[in-house]
Amino acid sequence: IFFFQAEDGIRDVERSRGLGDVYKRQSQVGNLLFTSGSIPMKDGKPLALGKVGKEVTLEQAQECAKQCIINALGSAKSVIGDLDQILKIVKLTVYVNAAPGFVNSPGVANGASDFLVQIFGDNGKHARAAVGVAELPLNVPVELDLIIQLKDKQQGFITLTIFLYPVSYTHMTLPTKL
C-alpha cells in the first residue's frame, strides 16, 4: 500500500511499502496516464474510517474524495514531474464504502469532481463512475482512480512512417499546419 501526503498543495509522493510491489502506482500508455487507487491518507493516517451513511457523513466523505485527488495527483506528479503536463482529466472512478441503504455515491464523487474542475477548469471535467461497495482497504470511506491525458511533447506535429514493399521505409515528423 502506498500513502501520499499533501499540506498546502501537491507535493512529491512519499512511499510506504506494503505487501509488495505486485502492481504499479501508475501506468502510462501513449499520452494517457492511469493511476491506481488512491485513498484519503494525510500525514500518514486516514482522514476518516467507516461506512458513508453510518460512521462517515456525506460532507466528510466529500473531503476524503478531495484528499484522494490530492494523493492521485501526487502520484501522477511523481511520474510526469510537473502537473502542467496534464492536458485533461479523462475519467474518474470513485468507490464509496457505503452503508446499507446509502445511495448517494454520486454526491460523494462530487467532492472529487468539483476539486478537479477547481484545479483544471474545463479540462478538469471528465467522464465518471461512482460506485457503492461493501468494503475498502483499511476501512476508508473512499477510494478513486484517474485516467489523465498528458500533453503531447511534440504537440502540433504528426509523425508519419511510410513503408515501401519489400524492405524500405521513411520516418518523418511534420508540423500539423503547413
Side-chain angles (χ1 to χ4, degrees):
I1 299 172
F2 298 88
F3 302 122
F4 301 98
Q5 301 178 20
E7 290 173 11
D8 297 322
I10 309 298
R11 291 188 300 158
D12 289 336
V13 177
E14 295 182 19
R15 185 171 173 228
S16 175
R17 191 169 173 128
L19 297 175
D21 291 327
V22 295
Y23 69 97
K24 295 169 68 174
R25 283 295 311 148
Q26 55 292 112
S27 182
Q28 186 173 349
V29 177
N31 68 340
L32 293 178
L33 183 67
F34 298 76
T35 67
S36 291
S38 292
I39 59 177
M41 301 297 286
K42 184 174 182 178
D43 299 325
K45 59 184 179 185
L47 284 185
L49 292 172
K51 295 193 176 293
V52 182
K54 188 175 180 185
E55 299 92 358
V56 179
T57 67
L58 174 63
E59 293 76 18
Q60 289 171 314
Q62 289 171 333
E63 281 303 307
C64 286
K66 182 178 175 180
Q67 184 64 44
C68 289
I69 289 295
I70 291 169
N71 297 342
L73 291 176
S75 176
K77 184 179 176 195
S78 74
V79 171
I80 62 177
D82 184 353
L83 294 179
D84 288 338
Q85 295 304 308
I86 294 175
L87 180 63
K88 179 168 183 48
I89 304 299
V90 177
K91 174 95 190 271
L92 167 67
T93 305
V94 179
Y95 306 93
V96 178
N97 187 359
F102 182 79
V103 295
N104 196 7
S105 294
V108 174
N110 286 344
S113 293
D114 292 344
F115 191 47
L116 286 168
V117 171
Q118 182 183 347
I119 296 168
F120 297 106
D122 282 343
N123 289 338
K125 293 181 180 177
H126 48 270
R128 184 178 89 180
V131 183
V133 298
E135 303 289 335
L136 286 174
L138 305 177
N139 198 32
V140 295
V142 182
E143 181 176 1
L144 60 76
D145 60 67
L146 295 170
I147 301 174
I148 301 168
Q149 182 182 12
L150 302 174
K151 293 178 181 175
D152 187 351
K153 294 198 185 298
Q154 291 189 1
Q155 199 167 15
F157 292 85
I158 59 171
T159 301
L160 298 175
T161 303
I162 303 169
F163 292 93
L164 302 173
Y165 184 79
V167 291
S168 64
Y169 68 92
T170 303
H171 185 81
M172 65 184 90
T173 301
L174 303 171
T176 55
K177 295 181 182 177
L178 297 176

